Amino acid sequence: MVKKVLKFGGTSVGTTERIQHVANIIKKERSLGNQVIAVVSAMAGKTNELVKLSNEISDEFDKREFDVLLSSGEQVTCALLSGALNNLKVKARSWLSWQIPILTDGGHSNARIINIHVEKINKYLNEDEVVIIPGFQGISKNGDITTIGRGGSDATAVAIAKIFNADSCEIYTDVDGVYSTDPNKIPVAKKINKISYDEMLELSSLGAKVMQSSAVQTALMYDIPLEVKSTFSNRKGTKIFSQENIDYTKSVTGVAYSKDDAKITIIGVNDKPGVAANIFEPLSKSQINVDMVIQNISSDQKTTDITFTVKRNDILKTKEILKNNRQIAYKKIIHNDKVAKISIVGAGMVSTPGVTYKMFRALSDENINILAISTSEIKLSVIIEEDMTLKAIKKLHTIFDLD
Ligand code: ASP
Ligand code: MG
């Protein structure tokens, strides 16, 4: 008996017609004899709507009640999907996280799934029932409803696949799979048939929004193969699994970009031991994530410039912390928030010499100035002026044979 976890995202269940369509997909799986655990998101836009309602009540809406509120979107989808299946004469029941239970720790809004009880659910699966479970929600040790972070239904699906020892975990969404770059911006973007966890992780944390990156991280950790596919077409999706099973003919698998970065330069800081630590320690204490760091050579041996990038919405906080930092002296601070981060990702990069130079040359051919650089084994990112984004992606996509 094959046990499948099928996860349906917000747009896949965005209307009652779509929920009926999803019910038909599940019905087909059942007619093939497969056991199905369906994990569902809230209907598209619902969670944002709920956030808005809480804001209308208060800027400091109670955390516990915020989770009760936000998790309700998934509850609606569960009931509607179960009803749609029953209407198709398919046995199905919804189970909310506290009924199963799905246990979490780590407080509210950003809780982590630590365990899921399987006995009851397995019993229903063995009785030929489809089990429908809300993504995104859990229950704390104290019995409070929790949520596990925006986009968290992916993480729920992966955790369920792991704990129930499922044969497959299929992420149904509104695109056919993972693309070599954003298909809405670059029409020649191609669907990737197979990709490793590591590459997927880089792509999803670099702005390719197909899957939540913490869910991919869990899949990598426990080696749970995933498949991303479209709810609206029968085309084959993208398989995500461990690197050994992939044979790389190309050095670069995909080009990602994000427009939520900002660059800060501190001009004229002292060039002596401890300065960098004094700059970055207070930032990290305030949960500000610093991405790239560059320190210029000091020309006078006394002072230097340090440039780094942070998320765009952290820029004001970052400048404030720097200004209040009595442990550093500098001439001035400048920033640029009209920047974008462009990254090439590929497990094949490790074994292909010259990828770095090829990327830099391509950008220079297009007259694009590189403002900062960072690298990892399978990724190369640069910061450029935001209005050059499209030009850069197009060029890189072409020179790395992805068109
Ligand atoms: N409904 C939640 C959100 O919008 C969780 C999810 O869709 O994955 O963030
Ligand atoms: Mg989602």
Side-chain angles (χ1 to χ4, degrees), residues 7-11 41-42 74 150-154 173 209-210 212:
K7 185 255 165 177
F8 296 93
T11 39
S41 282
E74 271 71 13
R150 293 303 305 272
S153 299
D154 288 339
T173 180
K209 287 186 193 62
V210 190
Q212 190 206 28

Side-chain angles (χ1 to χ4, degrees), residues 324-343:
N324 294 331
N325 188 341
R326 297 272 158 263
Q327 288 184 293
I328 52 171
Y330 53 84
K331 281 203 202 81
K332 62 174 173 177
I333 297 174
I334 54 173
H335 79 271
N336 179 355
D337 60 2
K338 302 274 178 306
V339 296
K341 178 160 78 175
I342 314 288
S343 308

Side-chain angles (χ1 to χ4, degrees), residues 242-311:
S242 70
Q243 209 152 298
E244 299 95 75
N245 302 321
I246 299 179
D247 127 53
Y248 288 100
T249 48
K250 282 183 178 157
S251 54
V252 173
T253 309
V255 181
Y257 72 96
S258 66
K259 287 188 171 180
D260 52 1
D261 297 86
K263 185 175 74 93
I264 296 182
T265 303
I266 314 176
I267 296 176
V269 282
N270 287 335
D271 192 14
K272 62 174 192 210
V275 169
N278 287 343
I279 293 174
F280 294 113
E281 193 182 346
L283 295 178
S284 109
K285 282 199 175 130
S286 300
Q287 311 287 330
I288 289 175
N289 221 337
V290 173
D291 187 14
M292 305 181 187
V293 181
I294 311 167
Q295 178 172 337
N296 290 350
I297 311 174
S298 94
S299 47
D300 56 4
Q301 306 293 323
K302 288 197 198 82
T303 61
T304 182
D305 305 338
I306 291 182
T307 297
F308 60 93
T309 63
V310 294
K311 289 280 161 244

